Every structure is written in C-alpha cells, then in structure tokens.
Amino acid sequence: MSQNQMPNPKVDIERVNEIKKASFWVSQVFILLATVIGVYLAASQGYKQAVQFENMTSYKESYYLQKSLQYELQDNIVLLKGYMAKIQDSNYYGARNEPLNFYTLIWENMKFSSTTLSTPPMLLRQAQQFYREVAKLHESIAISDISVPTGIKKLQAQIDIVEQQLIPTLEKNTAQIQHELAGSDIIL
C-alpha cells in the first residue's frame, strides 16, 4: 500500500464486527485460562522437584554424617580397649593418667552442622552418654576414685552399649537412608 492510499473501510468494519462476536471473547478467555493453568502447573511441578532435590540432598548429608559418627565411635572403642589393656598391665605405671585422645572431629563438628538434627535423637543421646561416661570413668580411674577392675567393668559396659546398640542402630539407619536414595540420581 502506498502512503496516499486509504485503507479499505470494508476490511476494518469486518475486524470490528469480529471483535464484537462472542466467539472471539470465548476463545480469548480460554487462551487466558490455558496460560494461567499452564504457568501454575509448571510452577507447581518445579516446586515439587526443588523440594524433592532438597530432601534427597538432606538424606545424603545425613547419611555421611551418621556413617562418619559410626566410624569415629568404632575407632574410639579401639583406643579405649587399648587404654583398658594398658591399665591392667601392672608394669605400666603411668597408664592410669594417660589421656585417651579420642578422635572427636565428627562429634565436635556436629555442633555446627544443620544435618545433625536429622539424626535420630536417641542416637545422639547414646553417643553423648558414651563420651560423657567414659570421660568421667577415665578421670575416676586416674585419681583412684575407683579401682582399675571396677573401672574396666564400667568401661566395658559403655563399650557394650555402643557396640551392641548404637552402632547397629546407626548401620540400620544409614541402610534405610541408602535405600531411600537408591531410586534417585543421588550417588553415595
């Protein structure tokens, strides 16, 4: 069309008549509804995926934390058994006062981890009791508040609790987490 030519008034009238028709408005309403529903469904699905990913990541962190605590407790039991053997040896005079030098990297860093509270409270309580009771017994043996045989018996009781209750429960709990993550893309 050149600049001097006028638009065809018949075509403009047809467009105006088309806009006035109900079918035009119905189709526009359906387009609007379809857009809103599509955006809602996409956002909802995206939110579900984000929550699922966050849960899986939390499970993974919890798995590693609990496994690390388990290994640390097992290593500390080995150290404690070595200490118990030394204090029973009458030729080793300084054994009573020898420090235990437990590995506590995991236990100490659990204070700062948000994942710590996803560990079942019973497990945390048992670990806390183990560390606390062993420290008290070690001090009592060192200052001769209790005899070596009594101390050995009480230390063995603490070892038994960890070996027979805490560690198997940690293993069971981490196996359950591993099972939860088996169907996901999260690699342990």
Side-chain angles (χ1 to χ4, degrees):
M1 225 192 264
S2 70
Q3 290 179 342
N4 294 341
Q5 288 182 341
M6 299 282 290
N8 187 349
K10 193 173 193 176
V11 173
D12 287 338
I13 292 173
E14 287 178 16
R15 272 193 232 155
V16 170
N17 287 338
E18 180 68 29
I19 291 173
K20 289 181 181 177
K21 289 183 183 176
S23 63
F24 172 79
W25 289 109
V26 170
S27 68
Q28 294 303 313
V29 167
F30 279 118
I31 290 171
L32 182 64
L33 282 174
T35 302
V36 169
I37 290 171
V39 168
Y40 170 77
L41 291 175
S44 176
Q45 189 62 26
Y47 177 74
K48 286 178 187 176
Q49 289 295 325
V51 167
Q52 184 180 13
F53 177 76
E54 183 62 32
N55 285 341
M56 293 299 135
T57 302
S58 178
Y59 281 145
K60 179 180 178 180
E61 290 171 359
S62 185
Y63 173 85
Y64 284 133
L65 182 81
Q66 290 179 37
K67 267 300 181 195
S68 297
L69 178 61
Q70 175 188 334
Y71 295 148
E72 183 175 273
L73 286 166
Q74 289 170 328
D75 291 344
N76 288 336
I77 286 174
V78 170
L79 291 173
L80 185 55
K81 286 179 179 180
Y83 168 76
M84 291 165 53
K86 285 179 187 177
I87 63 173
Q88 290 181 54
D89 184 358
S90 59
N91 294 329
Y92 192 7
Y93 178 69
R96 283 176 165 237
N97 296 320
E98 193 172 286
L100 288 176
N101 294 326
F102 273 171
Y103 302 114
T104 58
L105 175 70
I106 304 304
W107 185 248
E108 291 297 320
N109 282 298
M110 285 175 71
K111 294 179 205 174
F112 309 108
S113 173
S114 60
T115 310
T116 299
L117 297 179
S118 66
T119 303
M122 176 193 69
L123 301 178
L124 295 174
R125 184 176 185 205
Q126 284 181 331
Q128 180 185 36
Q129 286 173 339
F130 170 74
Y131 283 119
R132 184 181 57 240
E133 290 302 314
V134 167
K136 283 194 314 189
L137 290 168
H138 178 260
E139 184 179 339
S140 294
I141 292 169
I143 62 173
S144 298
D145 265 1
I146 60 173
S147 68
V148 170
T150 302
I152 296 288
K153 203 187 293 185
K154 290 183 178 189
L155 287 171
Q156 187 59 51
Q158 291 302 312
I159 290 172
D160 292 344
I161 290 170
V162 171
E163 286 182 331
Q164 295 169 11
Q165 294 174 21
L166 180 55
I167 290 176
T169 306
L170 278 168
E171 287 175 345
K172 180 181 174 189
N173 205 44
T174 53
Q176 183 179 356
I177 293 171
Q178 199 171 19
H179 177 72
E180 290 278 334
L181 294 175
S184 70
D185 292 335
I186 304 289
I187 299 170
L188 294 177

